Amino acid sequence: MFDIDWMSLALPFAYISVLGGSLYTFSTIYRKRKASENANLEPWFPPHLQRNIYLTLLHMEPEAGQEKAPKVPDSVIRAALLRRAVEDIRRIFQIRTSKQALNTLLQRGSVGDDLNQRFLRAEREIQEELKDVMSEANALAPGWGQTIFQSANEIFYNTQLRADLEEIESRAAADKEWWEKKRETIQKEFMKELDQESSTKSSTKGVSDDEGVLVDSGTPAATPSGPSKKKKGKK
């Protein structure tokens, strides 16, 4: 049998153990530091007001002097959950709109990694929020979790359409006033051009009439010479 020199192998094993322990400690400290930095980052979205309202209605506490909390109708809780889903749809739309622009800025180096970390955290939070809403909807009404976001999507786009129409109507009076002023300016400029053309034509006509008068006044002086020559010929 071969004799193993354990003393000569102790040093390499000790080196590998120290190296592995150092790498593990470094990775642990690094992950904790990144987690603390991400936790201290400013959130991408403001506080979720609709979610807070829903949770308040769902877990209402009894008032002072009462043993039981007031019963909230199921229709009110469902409406609150639907409004929460509508807000989630709005945030999803904003994330999809901002993602391409953020990737472009990151490639150019125009923004730092902190902004990207905030965006990634917002994506994770919205995914967890969607799962939570679906589970809450299924708890209130079996199968509602499959259709709640479809209804929320329709409500969101109808709200956006009404907001756009109201904005257009609010700008209609200002746009009409602007167009009236623009039309008056165009009319004044057009009439000014017509006046200039008419004055140019009248001046040109006056010059041509004067030339015609000069030509007519010079022609009779030449006519008497003809008959005088004829009379001399007869003599």
Side-chain angles (χ1 to χ4, degrees):
M1 298 296 292
F2 295 100
D3 294 333
I4 299 175
D5 190 1
W6 296 104
M7 295 299 295
S8 61
L9 295 177
L11 183 60
F13 279 114
Y15 176 77
I16 293 173
S17 300
V18 171
L19 181 62
S22 301
L23 291 176
Y24 177 77
T25 304
F26 174 77
S27 62
T28 303
I29 296 173
Y30 179 77
R31 285 197 299 268
K32 289 182 179 179
R33 183 178 297 177
K34 291 297 291 183
S36 62
E37 290 178 357
N38 293 335
N40 294 328
L41 289 176
E42 183 181 358
W44 187 270
F45 294 108
H48 204 313
L49 180 61
Q50 288 76 7
R51 179 179 58 191
N52 297 337
I53 293 174
Y54 170 76
L55 294 177
T56 302
L57 293 174
L58 192 64
H59 305 286
M60 289 191 66
E61 297 180 356
E63 298 179 358
Q66 295 182 357
E67 296 181 356
K68 294 183 179 180
K71 177 64 176 177
V72 180
D74 293 340
S75 59
V76 176
I77 295 178
R78 291 182 182 181
L81 184 60
L82 185 59
R83 296 305 303 174
R84 177 181 173 183
V86 172
E87 176 63 20
D88 293 339
I89 293 294
R90 187 189 67 81
R91 297 191 176 196
I92 291 173
F93 181 78
Q94 186 175 351
I95 284 178
R96 290 178 179 176
T97 306
S98 305
K99 188 171 185 177
Q100 185 176 0
L102 180 60
N103 291 333
T104 304
L105 293 175
L106 283 173
Q107 291 175 358
R108 295 178 180 177
S110 302
V111 296
D113 187 63
D114 294 343
L115 187 64
N116 187 34
Q117 292 297 326
R118 289 173 54 198
F119 184 80
L120 294 177
R121 187 176 68 178
E123 282 187 325
R124 291 192 296 268
E125 289 177 354
I126 197 64
Q127 291 176 0
E128 295 176 358
E129 170 68 13
L130 296 179
K131 294 179 181 178
D132 192 12
V133 170
M134 290 182 64
S135 62
E136 292 287 340
N138 289 325
L140 291 174
W144 191 29
Q146 306 297 327
T147 59
I148 184 172
F149 286 109
Q150 182 178 358
S151 303
N153 192 32
E154 294 176 358
I155 294 173
F156 171 75
Y157 280 106
N158 288 334
T159 305
Q160 289 293 110
L161 180 60
R162 285 197 299 268
D164 294 339
L165 290 176
E166 290 177 358
E167 183 180 358
I168 293 172
E169 291 177 356
S170 63
R171 288 165 44 191
D175 292 343
K176 184 178 180 181
E177 183 179 358
W178 176 86
W179 171 244
E180 292 293 337
K181 292 180 180 179
K182 185 69 175 179
R183 186 172 62 178
E184 291 178 1
T185 305
I186 294 173
Q187 288 179 351
K188 288 179 181 179
E189 292 178 355
F190 182 70
M191 294 303 295
K192 186 177 180 181
E193 291 179 359
L194 289 178
D195 294 338
Q196 290 178 354
E197 290 180 359
S198 60
S199 61
T200 304
K201 288 181 180 179
S202 61
S203 62
T204 305
K205 184 177 181 181
V207 172
S208 61
D209 292 341
D210 293 340
E211 291 177 353
V213 171
L214 291 175
V215 171
D216 292 340
S217 61
T219 50
T223 53
S225 61
S228 62
K229 289 181 179 180
K230 289 181 181 180
K231 289 180 181 180
K232 290 181 180 180
K234 290 180 180 180
K235 289 180 182 181

